[in-house]
Amino acid sequence: MIDQKQFDALLDQWIEDHKQEMIEELGLWVSQKSVSRVDLGAPGAPYGPDCRKMLDLALERCRHYGFETHDYEGYTGDARFGPTEHEISFVGHLDVVPEGEGWTVCQPYNMTQKDGFLFGRGVGDDKGPTIISLFILRFFKENNIPMKHGMRLMMGCSEETGMPDFRYYMEHKLGPDTDIAIVCDGGFPGGYAQKGFYTTTIHIPAGKDIVDFAGGTVHNAIPDTAVITVKGVTLEAAQAALKGADRVSVEAGDNGTVKIIGHGKAGHAAMPDKDRQNSAVAIAAKWAVLLAEKTGIDLGGCGAIANLFPTAFGDGLDMHWDEPIAGGLTANAGVISLTDGKLPLLIDIRYPIDRTGADITAALEKAIAPYGASMTVGECMEPYYIDPEDPKLAVPVQVYRDITGDTETKLSAGGGGNYARVVANGISFGPGIPGSPKPEGLPVAHGGAHSPDEALHIESWITGMKIYAKSVLLLDEALSVD
């Protein structure tokens, strides 16, 4: 193995020489919109034309840097070099959440650099981490660092919509397993447990005076706006009924209708605020119930939603379950749209590691029965756990602590899911650094991974790259090769 001091000096200089190139590469990848759209899927492009174009771009850029690439039916792709019998891999995703509205720093797909940050959809989740993984492969290859393992970058196209990409890859054995898969879609010092993941659509009878109910775009994002269009009431009567109500507004609709607009707080479904419900769908339903009580109009389905989702922690579903490792259950009222007299509500549940998907199904069926509702289960992935002392995790964690001096931050366990629960020998490790700077002057709820003005702190990004590279060096020694 190369001398570690020599390695560190070589790595520092190489990153300095290629830093601007990495930024420009990321800007190119961000410029390609890549929201996963299974409804637009086709053979070879299961997640729609935009994700197909993004995968083509990524594979072309990997070939540009001299790597052998593979395309697995458009579900995933990879780049690799070195021995293939044993490999150390990075795993990232090329798809992004929808851009949303309210961007202030730049347009979502026109990456902008400002005050030490990069802004654009996907800079942090997950194109930025994928880029530094690619450049780590370049570093080892171009500097001929002696390795017992080969290296691979694995790239998925539908992480944000339930990870069907790598689930398909694993189920159909499209490519080989890897000795360790470092999933670069989380935070340092790493994660050892992930809650179970469950999506379902609850079909709720609407009520005859609901003309429309629309809110949300994807299940794993807390919707910040939801609009219920109602008939049978005047604008003046609706305004009087909801006078003083918070986080709701009332406007005139078309053809004598009235719009009840719920105002939530955008964020990741797995990390809701503990002090109040922030799903605009649940907020709008709550105030629609009051409107119905005061005016006598029939908004029946809103009562079910308000009762089932008073909080984001399963209280109304009789699933207020807690657990000491990964924490309690969360339930996001994510996407709704009136269809054929029903309110199909897509919900996202993250459940404790001591529960099963069957537990969720049984509890949901019981909770929705009084409302005459039915349900269609979408995705279910059981919880993930790895022993924190396992060398696959313990070795890189120690690298993080040595480089940053952070000996206090604990390994994470929570509701955020990533490919570690899907790929063989996966670990969730970085590249988010605890306490890294946040951009100043942004509106509330801006700058996050699923929010407007998504931001990436450049120097923290570079530090993450150094942690990854040193981890690969030591894992190459620590993991036995028969």
Short mmCIF file of all heavy atoms in Angstrom, two decimals, residues 360-391:
data_model
loop_
_atom_site.label_atom_id
_atom_site.label_comp_id
_atom_site.label_asym_id
_atom_site.label_seq_id
_atom_site.Cartn_x
_atom_site.Cartn_y
_atom_site.Cartn_z
N ILE A 360 -47.85 -2.49 9.10
CA ILE A 360 -48.37 -1.24 8.55
C ILE A 360 -49.68 -1.49 7.81
O ILE A 360 -50.67 -0.77 7.99
CB ILE A 360 -47.35 -0.59 7.60
CG1 ILE A 360 -46.01 -0.37 8.31
CG2 ILE A 360 -47.89 0.72 7.05
CD1 ILE A 360 -46.07 0.54 9.50
N THR A 361 -49.70 -2.52 6.99
CA THR A 361 -50.91 -2.82 6.23
C THR A 361 -52.09 -3.07 7.15
O THR A 361 -53.20 -2.54 6.94
CB THR A 361 -50.67 -4.05 5.33
OG1 THR A 361 -49.62 -3.76 4.40
CG2 THR A 361 -51.92 -4.40 4.55
N ALA A 362 -51.88 -3.87 8.18
CA ALA A 362 -52.97 -4.20 9.10
C ALA A 362 -53.48 -2.95 9.81
O ALA A 362 -54.71 -2.75 9.94
CB ALA A 362 -52.49 -5.23 10.11
N ALA A 363 -52.58 -2.09 10.27
CA ALA A 363 -52.99 -0.89 10.99
C ALA A 363 -53.72 0.09 10.07
O ALA A 363 -54.72 0.71 10.47
CB ALA A 363 -51.78 -0.21 11.62
N LEU A 364 -53.25 0.24 8.85
CA LEU A 364 -53.89 1.15 7.90
C LEU A 364 -55.30 0.68 7.55
O LEU A 364 -56.24 1.48 7.49
CB LEU A 364 -53.05 1.27 6.63
CG LEU A 364 -51.85 2.19 6.67
CD1 LEU A 364 -51.03 2.05 5.40
CD2 LEU A 364 -52.27 3.64 6.87
N GLU A 365 -55.44 -0.59 7.27
CA GLU A 365 -56.77 -1.11 6.91
C GLU A 365 -57.77 -0.85 8.03
O GLU A 365 -58.93 -0.49 7.77
CB GLU A 365 -56.67 -2.60 6.60
CG GLU A 365 -55.95 -2.90 5.28
CD GLU A 365 -55.79 -4.38 5.01
OE1 GLU A 365 -55.89 -5.18 5.99
OE2 GLU A 365 -55.54 -4.76 3.85
N LYS A 366 -57.35 -1.01 9.25
CA LYS A 366 -58.22 -0.75 10.39
C LYS A 366 -58.55 0.74 10.52
O LYS A 366 -59.69 1.12 10.79
CB LYS A 366 -57.57 -1.26 11.67
CG LYS A 366 -58.43 -1.08 12.92
CD LYS A 366 -57.71 -1.64 14.15
CE LYS A 366 -58.56 -1.44 15.40
NZ LYS A 366 -57.86 -1.98 16.62
N ALA A 367 -57.54 1.59 10.29
CA ALA A 367 -57.72 3.03 10.48
C ALA A 367 -58.65 3.64 9.45
O ALA A 367 -59.44 4.56 9.76
CB ALA A 367 -56.36 3.74 10.44
N ILE A 368 -58.60 3.17 8.21
CA ILE A 368 -59.39 3.81 7.14
C ILE A 368 -60.78 3.22 7.00
O ILE A 368 -61.66 3.81 6.36
CB ILE A 368 -58.66 3.73 5.79
CG1 ILE A 368 -58.56 2.29 5.28
CG2 ILE A 368 -57.29 4.38 5.90
CD1 ILE A 368 -57.94 2.16 3.89
N ALA A 369 -61.02 2.06 7.61
CA ALA A 369 -62.31 1.39 7.44
C ALA A 369 -63.51 2.25 7.83
O ALA A 369 -64.53 2.25 7.12
CB ALA A 369 -62.31 0.08 8.23
N PRO A 370 -63.45 3.02 8.94
CA PRO A 370 -64.63 3.83 9.31
C PRO A 370 -65.02 4.88 8.28
O PRO A 370 -66.14 5.40 8.34
CB PRO A 370 -64.18 4.49 10.63
CG PRO A 370 -63.11 3.61 11.17
CD PRO A 370 -62.40 3.10 9.96
N TYR A 371 -64.14 5.19 7.35
CA TYR A 371 -64.41 6.24 6.37
C TYR A 371 -64.83 5.68 5.01
O TYR A 371 -64.94 6.44 4.05
CB TYR A 371 -63.16 7.13 6.21
CG TYR A 371 -62.71 7.71 7.52
CD1 TYR A 371 -61.62 7.17 8.20
CD2 TYR A 371 -63.38 8.79 8.09
CE1 TYR A 371 -61.21 7.70 9.41
CE2 TYR A 371 -62.97 9.31 9.31
CZ TYR A 371 -61.88 8.76 9.96
OH TYR A 371 -61.47 9.27 11.17
N GLY A 372 -65.04 4.37 4.95
CA GLY A 372 -65.43 3.76 3.68
C GLY A 372 -64.34 3.83 2.63
O GLY A 372 -64.61 3.81 1.43
N ALA A 373 -63.11 3.91 3.09
CA ALA A 373 -61.97 4.05 2.17
C ALA A 373 -61.33 2.70 1.89
O ALA A 373 -61.47 1.74 2.66
CB ALA A 373 -60.94 5.01 2.76
N SER A 374 -60.64 2.62 0.78
CA SER A 374 -59.85 1.45 0.43
C SER A 374 -58.42 1.88 0.21
O SER A 374 -58.10 3.07 0.23
CB SER A 374 -60.40 0.78 -0.83
OG SER A 374 -60.34 1.67 -1.93
N MET A 375 -57.51 0.93 -0.01
CA MET A 375 -56.11 1.30 -0.20
C MET A 375 -55.44 0.40 -1.22
O MET A 375 -55.82 -0.76 -1.40
CB MET A 375 -55.34 1.25 1.13
CG MET A 375 -55.35 -0.09 1.82
SD MET A 375 -54.53 -0.05 3.44
CE MET A 375 -52.82 -0.28 2.96
N THR A 376 -54.46 0.97 -1.90
CA THR A 376 -53.64 0.25 -2.87
C THR A 376 -52.18 0.41 -2.45
O THR A 376 -51.64 1.52 -2.50
CB THR A 376 -53.82 0.81 -4.29
OG1 THR A 376 -55.21 0.76 -4.64
CG2 THR A 376 -53.02 0.00 -5.29
N VAL A 377 -51.57 -0.67 -2.00
CA VAL A 377 -50.19 -0.60 -1.53
C VAL A 377 -49.25 -0.39 -2.72
O VAL A 377 -49.39 -1.02 -3.76
CB VAL A 377 -49.80 -1.88 -0.77
CG1 VAL A 377 -48.32 -1.84 -0.35
CG2 VAL A 377 -50.69 -2.05 0.45
N GLY A 378 -48.31 0.54 -2.54
CA GLY A 378 -47.32 0.82 -3.57
C GLY A 378 -46.02 0.09 -3.31
O GLY A 378 -45.87 -1.07 -3.68
N GLU A 379 -45.09 0.75 -2.64
CA GLU A 379 -43.78 0.17 -2.36
C GLU A 379 -43.66 -0.19 -0.88
O GLU A 379 -44.20 0.52 -0.02
CB GLU A 379 -42.67 1.17 -2.72
CG GLU A 379 -42.67 1.63 -4.16
CD GLU A 379 -42.10 0.60 -5.11
OE1 GLU A 379 -41.47 -0.36 -4.62
OE2 GLU A 379 -42.29 0.75 -6.32
N CYS A 380 -42.94 -1.26 -0.61
CA CYS A 380 -42.65 -1.61 0.78
C CYS A 380 -41.23 -2.17 0.83
O CYS A 380 -40.92 -3.14 0.14
CB CYS A 380 -43.64 -2.63 1.32
SG CYS A 380 -43.31 -3.08 3.05
N MET A 381 -40.38 -1.53 1.62
CA MET A 381 -39.02 -2.02 1.84
C MET A 381 -38.79 -2.12 3.34
O MET A 381 -39.03 -1.16 4.08
CB MET A 381 -38.00 -1.07 1.21
CG MET A 381 -37.97 -1.13 -0.30
SD MET A 381 -36.73 -0.03 -1.02
CE MET A 381 -37.63 1.52 -0.93
N GLU A 382 -38.36 -3.28 3.76
CA GLU A 382 -38.16 -3.52 5.18
C GLU A 382 -36.97 -2.70 5.70
O GLU A 382 -36.14 -2.24 4.93
CB GLU A 382 -37.94 -5.01 5.44
CG GLU A 382 -39.11 -5.90 5.01
CD GLU A 382 -40.41 -5.61 5.75
OE1 GLU A 382 -40.35 -5.02 6.85
OE2 GLU A 382 -41.48 -5.97 5.24
N PRO A 383 -36.88 -2.51 7.01
CA PRO A 383 -35.80 -1.70 7.60
C PRO A 383 -34.41 -2.27 7.29
O PRO A 383 -34.25 -3.44 6.95
CB PRO A 383 -36.11 -1.74 9.09
CG PRO A 383 -37.57 -2.03 9.18
CD PRO A 383 -37.86 -2.93 8.03
N TYR A 384 -33.42 -1.38 7.45
CA TYR A 384 -32.02 -1.73 7.20
C TYR A 384 -31.23 -1.56 8.50
O TYR A 384 -31.45 -0.61 9.25
CB TYR A 384 -31.46 -0.79 6.13
CG TYR A 384 -29.94 -0.71 6.06
CD1 TYR A 384 -29.21 -1.62 5.31
CD2 TYR A 384 -29.25 0.30 6.74
CE1 TYR A 384 -27.81 -1.53 5.23
CE2 TYR A 384 -27.86 0.39 6.66
CZ TYR A 384 -27.15 -0.53 5.91
OH TYR A 384 -25.79 -0.44 5.85
N TYR A 385 -30.29 -2.49 8.73
CA TYR A 385 -29.43 -2.38 9.91
C TYR A 385 -28.09 -3.04 9.62
O TYR A 385 -28.02 -4.11 9.02
CB TYR A 385 -30.07 -3.06 11.12
CG TYR A 385 -29.19 -3.06 12.35
CD1 TYR A 385 -29.16 -1.95 13.19
CD2 TYR A 385 -28.40 -4.15 12.66
CE1 TYR A 385 -28.34 -1.93 14.32
CE2 TYR A 385 -27.58 -4.15 13.78
CZ TYR A 385 -27.55 -3.03 14.61
OH TYR A 385 -26.74 -3.02 15.71
N ILE A 386 -27.00 -2.38 10.02
CA ILE A 386 -25.66 -2.97 9.98
C ILE A 386 -24.99 -2.71 11.32
O ILE A 386 -25.15 -1.63 11.91
CB ILE A 386 -24.81 -2.37 8.82
CG1 ILE A 386 -23.42 -3.02 8.77
CG2 ILE A 386 -24.70 -0.85 8.94
CD1 ILE A 386 -22.58 -2.59 7.57
N ASP A 387 -24.28 -3.69 11.82
CA ASP A 387 -23.56 -3.55 13.08
C ASP A 387 -22.53 -2.42 12.94
O ASP A 387 -21.70 -2.44 12.02
CB ASP A 387 -22.84 -4.86 13.40
CG ASP A 387 -22.16 -4.86 14.77
OD1 ASP A 387 -21.90 -3.77 15.32
OD2 ASP A 387 -21.87 -5.96 15.28
N PRO A 388 -22.57 -1.41 13.81
CA PRO A 388 -21.61 -0.30 13.71
C PRO A 388 -20.15 -0.75 13.79
O PRO A 388 -19.26 -0.01 13.35
CB PRO A 388 -21.98 0.60 14.89
CG PRO A 388 -23.41 0.28 15.18
CD PRO A 388 -23.57 -1.18 14.88
N GLU A 389 -19.89 -1.95 14.33
CA GLU A 389 -18.52 -2.45 14.43
C GLU A 389 -18.08 -3.22 13.20
O GLU A 389 -16.92 -3.63 13.10
CB GLU A 389 -18.39 -3.35 15.67
CG GLU A 389 -18.69 -2.65 16.98
CD GLU A 389 -17.81 -1.43 17.20
OE1 GLU A 389 -16.59 -1.52 16.93
OE2 GLU A 389 -18.34 -0.39 17.63
N ASP A 390 -18.96 -3.42 12.26
CA ASP A 390 -18.59 -4.09 11.01
C ASP A 390 -17.51 -3.25 10.31
O ASP A 390 -17.68 -2.04 10.13
CB ASP A 390 -19.82 -4.22 10.12
CG ASP A 390 -19.58 -5.05 8.87
OD1 ASP A 390 -18.55 -4.84 8.19
OD2 ASP A 390 -20.42 -5.91 8.56
N PRO A 391 -16.39 -3.87 9.90
CA PRO A 391 -15.31 -3.08 9.27
C PRO A 391 -15.77 -2.27 8.06
O PRO A 391 -15.20 -1.21 7.79
CB PRO A 391 -14.29 -4.16 8.86
CG PRO A 391 -14.54 -5.29 9.80
CD PRO A 391 -16.02 -5.28 10.07
#
